[in-house]
Amino acid sequence: MTVAAVILAASPESALADADGVPRIRRVVDAAWSGGALPIVVVSFDPDGAVAAALAGAAVTLAEPVPLPAGTPVQQMQRGVDVARGMVSDIDGVFIWPTRMSWVGPETITSMIEAHGMDRGALLQPTFGGKSGWPVLLPLAGVAALASVAPDRMPHDIIADVIASGVGVATIDLGDPGTTHDGSIPRSDLPPYVGPTEPVTHHRHEWGSEISDAPEETPLAGPALAPYEQA
């Protein structure tokens, strides 16, 4: 079972905002990778290469977005999915992950992937304190439903439209405040984590493992790049 992660940055400034000492985009990518998502695609404009520099050494592809003003949120989601499917053809599902949700823990990603394995047809949405959050795990039916979403819809509305199209939905409360509290809230001000300390299944994932063990003096390779090509 392979679940990709499509991480969406509204702007380079959003991607590079500080998240407890590291760029927001790097924290999200590291959580996705440590949690078991594969492949990982970041959709972000990067006019001066700063986003790519923040991702140096990470197992990630930086995809150029659909150009503005044509590039609406749903088109950027589809762009990321297309890049991920070009890398791994037999993807079972895709996380849709706004970069602003920078405090999601890797254990949440692991548990969501395992829950998806038990019901591969349902859209899976994490909750905290009774509120729905991010990232959302789209099954293949949900990925296909993106094509019928109106271009003016915002991310929360896009997910609502996918559900309204007939895709089943399941919620999962893993007690992770990062699923509903975005990067505008300091990490120290987050509500306490109240979920399980390990995945609910017997599989043990190496949460928090390092992206790279290369010596510090070794230059880190930048991310793979996927330029946008108009059809």
Side-chain angles (χ1 to χ4, degrees):
M1 183 177 66
T2 303
V3 178
V6 171
I7 301 167
L8 305 163
S11 67
E13 292 75 21
S14 174
L16 297 170
D18 180 75
D20 208 19
V22 299
R24 184 181 287 171
I25 191 65
R26 184 56 184 251
R27 181 170 292 279
V28 173
V29 164
D30 285 359
W33 185 89
S34 295
L38 181 76
I40 300 170
V41 176
V42 170
V43 181
S44 175
F45 292 103
D46 190 24
D48 61 4
V51 176
L55 296 173
V60 62
T61 295
L62 178 58
E64 184 179 2
V66 179
L68 298 175
T72 63
V74 70
Q75 288 174 320
Q76 306 301 16
M77 291 179 186
Q78 291 175 295
R79 165 71 173 143
V81 170
D82 288 345
V83 172
R85 284 180 137 174
M87 299 167 64
V88 178
S89 60
D90 57 346
I91 288 172
D92 296 286
V94 179
F95 283 106
I96 300 296
W97 193 334
T99 306
R100 61 185 175 81
M101 307 306 295
S102 52
W103 303 131
V104 178
E107 62 272 22
T108 292
I109 301 307
T110 304
S111 295
M112 289 182 68
I113 291 172
E114 292 172 345
H116 172 69
M118 293 183 280
D119 184 0
R120 300 194 186 190
L123 180 151
L124 189 60
Q125 191 161 35
T127 64
F128 181 80
K131 181 180 178 182
S132 297
W134 299 90
V136 170
L137 200 167
L138 294 183
L140 293 181
V143 170
L146 291 175
S148 62
V149 173
D152 61 344
R153 303 292 274 170
M154 291 294 102
H156 280 287
D157 300 319
I158 292 168
I159 300 307
D161 289 351
V162 168
I163 295 170
S165 74
V167 176
V169 60
T171 59
I172 181 169
D173 188 347
L174 297 168
D176 184 352
T179 59
T180 57
H181 294 71
D182 66 21
S184 67
I185 300 171
R187 193 178 190 186
S188 58
D189 291 344
L190 291 176
Y193 183 86
V194 294
T197 57
E198 295 186 353
V200 294
T201 68
H202 295 297
H203 173 70
R204 298 182 62 86
H205 193 85
E206 295 181 3
W207 293 343
S209 57
E210 294 296 329
I211 294 292
S212 174
D213 294 323
E216 290 186 4
E217 65 272 13
T218 303
L220 294 175
L225 301 177
Y228 176 74
E229 297 180 3
Q230 180 133 20

